[in-house]
Amino acid sequence: LCEVNLQGPFHYEACLAHAPSNSTAPCNMTTPAFPKNGPGIDVKFDDVTLLLMGHDTPPDVLLKHMDELGREFSEEILGTRTLKKETTEFLWVEGKSPELDAVLSRESLLSWDFDLFKLQELTNGRPLAVLAYALIQLHDLVNTLGIDDAKLKRYLCAFEANYNNCLYHNPMHAADVMHATNYLLMGKIAESIPPEELLITLLSGPAHDLGHPGVNNMLLIKQKHPVAVKYEDTSVLENHHATIAIELLSRPELDVLSCFPEAKKEELKTLMRDLVLYTDMSKHGPLLDRLKARSAEEKPLLIEDAEDRRFLLQTLLHTADLSNPCKTWNIHIQWTHAILAEFFSQGDLERYLGLEVTPMLDRNLSCGRSQQKAFFVSFVRPLFVLCGSSIPLTRDKCTACLDQLDANVARWTELGF
């Protein structure tokens, strides 16, 4: 279904019109059922309110996201995302309060336990641009590189405008990844790499999921979506996220790289794409193999070597993208439930379209959290171990993260998962 006539835009209305009404199978789980999410639903887990579960993305919403995927710069989509206005008259936080100043203080920004949910509240739901700007200013990159401050703010606002209101892949996640990236970079690494590469690495945090539709690469490939066809079924979303970030730079009012010669600008755009592409989980195994080889040879990645440095930055962004299991329990469970809610929403869409539902995305077959715990142990833990051994400047930070991950896994086990 929905695999015909996809040479043009993805026609989500047609999918809705022809979708069968399948009945759902009975739930078969040995662990507690996954909680419902949606407007007006107060969801708690382990006596903690889950702050990212207050909305939902039913099939019609996800199909709309898929319809707009690849058409972000059409006049129709630009208008709905208010990007036109924000490129000429960007919105910013007015009248900073002492509370907001405290959240954006240097001490707060450098803390692994940074309160992103408080920032979300204080910025009226616009945390990404504000946090991104604060982190870039933390390194004095505007002055060092001669960046046009107004263009930078517009660019960051355009990032925020180009995120869908997905359950997990949303501006909050983008802000979280940028913060984690900065945390791993901060210190000798940030001081040793060229400042323009530091800028691109930081910007790759909010760039890495731009325009995410709330469904995965496999569904887009199976449905022969135009974006999957464009990128030949390879790192489909990751290529698209990078393309949006780079395309935004082509607009003069957003071009934060206008301070560089054209050759350098192209080089930095290539770096951004290379970093974002390494957030594709299909690259996780090869990345670990490469880190294992360096660790076995006792040859840490060298910042002064250009090839090593690029791989180092790719590793740090990928590690930051998978860092939620290393956050304190009350924060960690927010993200765990949010990503599962997004997974199950895709499963609901697959069922709605009469497709075979991917087992791990089927809320009727899985509570999800046991599988997530296995993912933390089998995928995330080895990444942080190898990051610490191959990039010694991150070793203490990675060790602390691993301690927290182990504590979180132990708590999941105590709760029966």
Side-chain angles (χ1 to χ4, degrees):
L1 186 66
C2 298
E3 292 189 358
V4 295
N5 298 324
L6 283 182
Q7 299 305 311
F10 185 88
H11 297 292
Y12 81 102
E13 295 91 346
C15 290
L16 288 174
H18 297 290
S21 55
N22 292 0
S23 60
T24 58
C27 191
N28 178 22
M29 295 177 286
T30 57
T31 47
F34 190 76
K36 292 182 178 179
N37 59 283
I41 300 177
D42 183 21
V43 184
K44 286 195 174 184
F45 178 77
D46 202 21
D47 293 326
V48 178
T49 298
L50 300 180
L51 302 171
L52 297 172
M53 299 281 279
H55 75 287
D56 57 4
T57 50
D60 62 322
V61 172
L62 292 181
L63 287 168
K64 186 173 186 293
H65 291 174
M66 292 172 69
D67 174 50
E68 294 180 349
L69 188 70
R71 300 195 298 119
E72 288 85 354
F73 294 96
S74 68
E75 289 300 311
E76 173 191 358
I77 306 303
L78 281 176
T80 61
R81 298 189 178 193
T82 67
L83 185 56
K84 281 184 174 178
K85 178 180 179 181
E86 292 187 1
T87 57
T88 56
E89 187 181 342
F90 58 81
L91 304 176
W92 209 247
V93 177
E94 299 294 338
K96 286 186 178 180
S97 65
E99 198 172 13
L100 182 58
D101 288 342
V103 171
L104 296 177
S105 69
R106 180 181 178 85
E107 180 182 3
S108 173
L109 291 172
L110 294 181
S111 171
W112 182 244
D113 300 323
F114 176 78
D115 195 345
L116 181 57
F117 292 91
K118 188 64 176 179
L119 182 63
Q120 163 90 342
E121 174 190 331
L122 294 173
T123 57
N124 298 315
R126 296 177 59 84
L128 176 54
V130 173
L131 178 62
Y133 184 76
L135 291 174
I136 290 169
Q137 288 288 57
L138 194 65
H139 299 274
D140 197 31
L141 291 175
V142 172
N143 290 327
T144 300
L145 297 173
I147 298 169
D148 185 310
D149 191 68
K151 289 182 180 180
L152 175 61
K153 288 183 175 180
R154 293 188 189 107
Y155 187 57
L156 298 176
C157 285
F159 272 9
E160 197 139 31
N162 270 276
Y163 269 90
N164 290 306
N165 191 25
C166 297
L167 286 154
Y168 181 83
H169 292 102
N170 53 40
M172 283 282 282
H173 169 64
D176 183 59
V177 171
M178 185 179 186
H179 178 267
T181 302
N182 183 74
Y183 178 83
L184 293 171
L185 282 167
M186 200 68 192
K188 187 67 174 176
I189 297 176
E191 294 165 5
S192 301
I193 65 176
E196 64 272 19
E197 292 185 19
L198 176 58
L199 172 69
I200 292 299
T201 305
L202 291 173
L203 288 175
S204 295
H208 90 282
D209 274 327
L210 271 176
H212 200 293
V215 301
N216 62 21
N217 282 335
M218 189 54 64
L219 180 61
L220 297 174
I221 292 169
K222 286 180 179 178
Q223 296 299 95
K224 297 181 172 58
H225 190 284
V227 171
V229 174
K230 176 180 179 180
Y231 295 113
E232 300 181 339
D233 298 344
T234 302
S235 299
V236 175
L237 284 171
E238 293 74 21
N239 265 304
H240 185 63
H241 304 322
T243 295
I244 295 176
I246 292 168
E247 178 66 23
L248 289 171
L249 289 170
S250 69
R251 296 171 170 264
E253 67 273 22
L254 303 180
D255 187 8
V256 300
L257 302 182
S258 60
C259 52
F260 297 105
E262 284 301 317
K264 174 59 74 170
K265 285 173 64 173
E266 293 307 311
E267 178 185 317
L268 294 174
K269 290 176 184 178
T270 298
L271 174 60
M272 178 180 283
R273 186 176 293 277
D274 287 349
L275 295 184
V276 171
L277 287 178
Y278 259 75
T279 62
D280 183 355
M281 280 302 297
S282 72
K283 291 182 167 52
H284 182 80
L287 182 144
L288 289 189
D289 289 342
R290 190 171 170 185
L291 290 175
K292 285 176 187 175
R294 293 298 292 259
S295 184
E297 296 170 359
E298 297 185 352
K299 292 182 178 179
L301 296 174
L302 301 175
I303 297 174
E304 58 270 22
D305 180 89
E307 183 178 347
D308 271 11
R309 185 168 67 250
R310 180 158 301 209
F311 183 55
L312 179 152
L313 297 176
Q314 290 169 325
T315 298
L316 293 184
L317 181 62
H318 181 56
T319 303
D321 194 23
L322 298 185
S323 66
N324 297 156
C326 303
K327 299 295 177 71
T328 57
W329 176 254
N330 288 2
I331 297 175
H332 160 61
I333 59 176
Q334 306 284 347
W335 297 112
T336 301
H337 285 84
I339 197 166
L340 286 170
E342 186 170 297
F343 285 170
F344 292 146
S345 291
Q346 178 177 326
D348 295 343
L349 173 62
E350 292 175 351
R351 181 179 295 107
Y352 191 82
L353 297 177
L355 305 173
E356 181 179 353
V357 181
T358 307
M360 69 172 288
L361 307 181
D362 191 344
R363 70 173 75 245
N364 299 315
L365 298 178
S366 167
C367 81
R369 289 164 288 192
S370 296
Q371 288 91 331
Q372 282 294 294
K373 187 183 83 168
F375 178 80
F376 306 152
V377 173
S378 301
F379 287 80
V380 181
R381 198 178 199 288
L383 176 60
F384 272 83
V385 169
L386 288 168
C387 182
S389 63
S390 301
I391 310 173
L393 291 170
T394 69
R395 184 170 294 149
D396 290 346
K397 295 174 182 177
C398 287
T399 298
C401 287
L402 286 165
D403 289 344
Q404 184 62 57
L405 182 150
D406 292 341
N408 290 338
V409 168
R411 182 57 182 158
W412 284 113
T413 303
E414 288 174 5
L415 293 172
F417 293 96

